[in-house]
């Protein structure tokens, strides 16, 4: 299978042609959430970004195994190696079992992702379900001489690793830079070097989540889970590893070191990272205490929000920027996304109202016949969704002209226009009209009432009762309806 898709590889810092290791099979691993709180906008961006990648690769004909993990142990509150486990702390404060906390927030995450129309991954492994695999990984690294035991904990020996390989190839940091930054911390403690990271931590007496191991009763380091589970489900080498840009260092850097130290070679061919969502230029996240949960966006219940924003508005907002660019939150940007989504969805709905002509006008034919290839070219250039959306908006203008009988389209071009709009907007971008069942019923009844009123107006016109006809038109206009008489009949829309 020849691929024209080009993606940016964080490891090489350049765009590369996508050539899977075992085409048509593609292995993709994406770092999922740590489930100790409600999902926020920062969770939405990587989920939507790699949902887009998943959708597009499948559309191109690849058989994709998409693994997205759930972190439910080992992510400590101060840094990767120190402090209390975030889930255990939540469980202690709320007097619940840690797995109750993890399950509750996993369910909340799934509900939010479903609302955003994010497809479920092929496999969603939990860190707590793969303790054995993580212990095996730690033992391999120990056996190969790249780790050491200290008071029942196991630490990765970065200096030993750096002598044979190079630590910092993903982030571009040197070991000296990392050491210099680490000296700000007080003391080395159990570690030979403060830059070393934990592979296994001995649990303190008060630590709730613990498992037996050859070294101590304890728990795995945060970085181990992705290396162990990626290898289990995708093999020793796989195609794509994704996540947020904030994971490049230390998490993904440590993953590269763990894979190399345990297997003698790297595991991942393409590293992909989405950029951050910010508020006033600062990263949005729990650690910054400036995050807005997705539920708050959906309800409007947050001081920074001027109104509620629908899940599809959030999805459109994320896709309106390139995944490698920074997106800064503002109500103005979300309102613009809301209007853009409405424009696109209305145009797709209006496709059914277009009358086909024997032939197209030249401008319509030019735009329609080039639309598919332009959208493919944009997607193949590192998933350039803003460009795709701009081409779809160009098609929206054509659709509006066709509805208003200011342009003509033949049957073949009409079929092509409809297919391309649905393919890229619905199937690939994952957008959809947001209507509950009850709203569907109300809107259908609403439309029938308007059509009935227009039938009464048509009868009045046929009876040459111009006064009644004009009164109906004027009353509809006063209520916000735009009614147009055309050679093919009457069209109407509600101006919002």
């Amino acid at each position: 299978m020849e691929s024209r898709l080009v993606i940016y590889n964080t490891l090489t810092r350049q765009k590369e042609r996508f050539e899977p290791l075992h085409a048509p099979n593609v292995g993709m691993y994406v770092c999922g959430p740590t489930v100790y709180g409600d999902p926020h906008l920062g969770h939405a961006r990587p989920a939507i970004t790699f949902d887009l990648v998943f959708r597009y690769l499948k559309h191109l004909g690849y058989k994709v195994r998409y693994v997205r993990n759930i972190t439910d142990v080992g992510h400590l509150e101060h840094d990767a190696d120190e402090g209390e486990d975030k889930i255990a702390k939540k469980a202690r404060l709320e007097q619940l079992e840690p797995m109750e906390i993890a399950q509750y927030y996993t369910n909340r995450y799934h509900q939010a992702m479903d609302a955003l129309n994010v497809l479920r991954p092929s496999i969603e492994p939990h860190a707590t379900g793969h303790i054995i695999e993580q212990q095996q990984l730690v033992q391999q690294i120990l056996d190969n001489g790249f780790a050491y035991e200290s008071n029942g904990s196991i630490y990765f020996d970065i200096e030993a690793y750096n002598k044979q390989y190079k630590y910092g190839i993903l982030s571009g940091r040197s070991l000296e830079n990392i050491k210099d930054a680490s000296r700000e911390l007080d003391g080395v403690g159990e570690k030979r070097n403060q830059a070393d990271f934990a592979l296994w931590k001995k649990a303190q007496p008060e630590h709730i989540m613990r498992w037996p191991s050859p070294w101590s009763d304890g728990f795995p380091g945060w970085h181990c889970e992705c290396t162990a589970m990626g290898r289990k489900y995708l093999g020793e080498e796989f195609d794509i590893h994704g996540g947020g840009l904030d994971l490049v260092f230390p998490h993904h850097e440590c993953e590269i070191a763990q894979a190399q130290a345990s297997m003698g070679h790297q595991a991942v061919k393409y590293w992909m990272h989405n950029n951050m969502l910010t508020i006033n230029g600062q990263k949005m996240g729990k650690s910054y205490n400036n995050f807005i949960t997705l539920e708050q966006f959906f309800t409007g219940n947050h001081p920074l929000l001027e109104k509620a924003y629908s899940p599809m508005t959030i999805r459109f907002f994320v896709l309106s920027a390139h995944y490698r660019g920074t997106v800064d939150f503002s109500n103005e940007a979300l309102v613009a996304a809301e209007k853009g989504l409405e424009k696109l969805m209305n145009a797709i709905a209006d496709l059914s109202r277009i009358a086909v002509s024997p032939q197209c006008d030249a401008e319509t034919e030019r735009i329609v016949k080039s639309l598919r290839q332009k959208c493919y070219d944009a997607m193949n250039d590192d998933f350039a969704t803003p460009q795709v959306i701009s081409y779809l908006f160009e098609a929206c203008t054509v659709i509006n002209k066709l509805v208003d009988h200011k342009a003509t389209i033949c049957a073949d071009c009409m079929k092509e226009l409809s297919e391309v709009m649905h393919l890229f907007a619905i199937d690939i971008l994952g957008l959809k009209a947001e209507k509950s069942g009850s709203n569907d019923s109300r809107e259908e009844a609403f439309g029938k009432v308007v059509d009935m009123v227009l039938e009464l107006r048509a009868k009045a016109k046929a009876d040459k009762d111009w006064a009644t006809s004009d009164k109906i038109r004027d009353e509809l206009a006063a209520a916000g309806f735009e009614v147009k008489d055309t050679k093919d009949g009457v069209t109407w829309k509600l101006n919002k």
Side-chain angles (χ1 to χ4, degrees):
M1 177 184 295
E2 181 183 358
S3 172
R4 295 183 179 180
L5 173 63
V6 174
I7 63 176
Y8 183 86
N9 189 345
T10 308
L11 184 63
T12 61
R13 296 168 180 77
Q14 62 185 10
K15 291 182 181 180
E16 300 177 4
R17 183 181 294 275
F18 180 65
E19 297 177 332
L21 293 165
H22 307 291
N25 298 304
V26 172
M28 182 169 76
Y29 190 102
V30 174
C31 290
T34 303
V35 285
Y36 69 100
D38 275 335
H40 54 78
L41 192 59
H43 289 120
R45 193 169 195 195
I48 292 170
T49 295
F50 292 101
D51 181 62
L52 173 82
V53 175
F54 185 32
R55 287 170 180 269
Y56 192 58
L57 290 177
K58 289 199 302 179
H59 169 69
L60 293 180
Y62 294 109
K63 183 179 180 181
V64 185
R65 178 175 289 174
Y66 174 18
V67 180
R68 185 183 68 205
N69 69 297
I70 295 290
T71 298
D72 54 3
V73 68
H75 201 162
L76 307 185
E77 59 178 345
H78 297 324
D79 59 35
D81 298 334
E82 302 298 333
E84 189 173 3
D85 186 287
K86 293 178 178 180
I87 293 174
K89 179 180 179 180
K90 191 92 171 179
R92 176 175 57 77
L93 292 174
E94 299 189 15
Q95 297 184 326
L96 296 170
E97 284 291 326
M99 287 300 98
E100 284 185 89
I101 297 294
Q103 188 63 57
Y104 176 79
Y105 287 112
T106 298
N107 293 344
R108 299 279 286 176
Y109 177 77
H110 286 155
Q111 290 163 5
M113 294 305 107
D114 290 345
L116 292 168
N117 203 26
V118 170
L119 301 176
R120 296 289 176 96
S122 313
I123 304 172
E124 192 174 57
H126 292 230
T128 53
H130 296 79
I131 300 298
I132 292 174
E133 288 84 357
Q134 293 177 78
Q135 290 179 351
Q136 290 170 342
L137 172 68
V138 174
Q139 189 62 59
Q140 286 178 321
I141 296 173
L142 272 169
D143 292 344
N144 291 341
F146 297 111
Y148 57 89
E149 182 176 354
S150 178
N151 297 326
S153 293
I154 309 296
Y155 292 97
F156 191 94
D157 191 334
I158 288 183
E159 283 198 340
Y161 176 84
N162 201 58
K163 288 177 182 177
Q164 184 167 343
Y165 305 106
K166 185 179 184 304
Y167 184 79
I169 60 174
L170 186 65
S171 62
R173 306 186 186 203
S174 69
L175 184 56
E176 290 307 312
N177 294 148
I178 296 166
K179 284 182 179 179
D180 289 343
S182 299
R183 288 194 187 112
E184 297 175 7
L185 300 175
D186 294 330
V188 173
E190 296 179 339
K191 304 179 184 180
R192 294 176 184 172
N193 186 307
Q194 191 63 54
D196 295 345
F197 60 89
L199 298 172
W200 184 265
K201 287 286 288 182
K202 179 180 179 180
Q204 297 304 310
E206 69 275 8
H207 198 94
I208 307 173
M209 303 174 80
R210 59 174 67 216
W211 291 263
S213 80
W215 319 290
S216 64
D217 279 4
F219 54 94
W222 171 41
H223 309 305
C224 288
E225 61 180 284
C226 294
T227 304
M229 294 190 293
R231 183 168 66 180
K232 178 179 176 67
Y233 294 111
L234 298 175
E236 289 195 354
E237 294 180 282
F238 57 92
D239 298 295
I240 297 173
H241 195 317
L245 195 62
D246 57 330
L247 296 178
V248 169
F249 185 88
H251 185 47
H252 288 165
E253 197 74 78
C254 293
E255 280 194 60
I256 288 176
Q258 289 171 160
Q260 189 89 55
S262 62
M263 300 184 296
H265 60 81
Q266 293 186 36
V268 180
K269 187 174 183 181
Y270 303 99
W271 286 89
M272 292 182 66
H273 294 90
N274 62 273
N275 213 320
M276 298 296 99
L277 284 160
T278 59
I279 295 180
N280 298 323
Q282 185 180 48
K283 178 196 167 187
M284 179 182 294
K286 289 185 172 68
S287 58
Y288 296 94
N289 199 32
N290 67 351
F291 66 98
I292 305 174
T293 69
L294 290 171
E295 183 178 9
Q296 288 170 328
F297 273 103
F298 301 159
T299 62
N301 186 25
H302 191 280
L304 291 175
L305 297 173
E306 295 176 358
K307 54 178 286 188
Y309 298 98
S310 71
M312 282 303 101
T313 296
I314 300 299
R315 187 177 181 103
F316 191 89
F317 171 66
V318 170
L319 294 173
S320 294
H322 192 274
Y323 77 90
R324 287 192 288 112
T326 303
V327 178
D328 197 50
F329 157 81
S330 70
N331 282 280
E332 292 77 13
L334 285 169
V335 168
E338 186 175 58
K339 290 179 179 178
L341 174 67
E342 182 181 24
K343 176 181 178 180
L344 185 56
M345 290 296 102
N346 284 345
I348 291 174
D350 283 343
L351 286 166
S352 62
R353 300 171 55 199
I354 295 173
V356 173
S357 299
Q359 62 183 19
C360 297
D361 63 84
E363 181 70 3
T364 297
E365 185 174 22
R366 179 188 67 81
I367 292 174
V368 171
K369 287 190 173 181
S370 64
L371 180 61
R372 186 187 294 263
Q373 191 57 54
K374 290 195 307 188
C375 288
Y376 272 126
D377 289 344
M379 285 297 298
N380 287 337
D381 184 14
D382 196 28
F383 308 99
T385 54
Q387 197 64 47
V388 174
I389 291 171
S390 73
Y391 295 141
L392 296 178
F393 278 171
E394 189 177 6
C396 289
T397 301
V398 171
I399 292 170
N400 291 337
K401 288 181 179 179
L402 291 167
V403 169
D404 292 339
H405 303 283
K406 295 178 180 177
T408 58
I409 189 168
C410 66
D412 287 345
C413 284
M414 185 63 221
K415 181 174 181 291
E416 174 70 1
L417 177 60
S418 182
E419 284 183 1
V420 175
M421 293 296 288
H422 281 88
L423 171 62
F424 284 94
I426 308 298
D427 297 343
I428 294 174
L429 295 185
L431 301 168
K432 64 179 182 179
E434 294 175 299
K435 297 176 181 177
S436 67
S438 58
N439 283 340
D440 279 345
S441 300
R442 283 197 293 269
E443 291 196 11
E444 183 180 356
F446 179 77
K448 287 180 178 179
V449 170
V450 176
D451 289 339
M452 182 178 66
V453 171
L454 289 175
E455 285 178 10
L456 293 174
R457 178 172 176 262
K459 184 176 185 306
K461 288 178 68 177
D463 294 340
K464 301 188 184 304
D465 184 358
W466 309 119
T468 301
S469 172
D470 291 345
K471 180 176 174 56
I472 293 173
R473 181 199 60 206
D474 294 343
E475 290 290 341
L476 286 171
F481 292 91
E482 182 180 335
V483 177
K484 289 187 178 181
D485 294 302
T486 72
K487 62 181 180 179
D488 298 312
V490 180
T491 63
W492 65 271
K493 66 179 180 179
L494 177 61
N495 294 320
K496 295 186 178 180

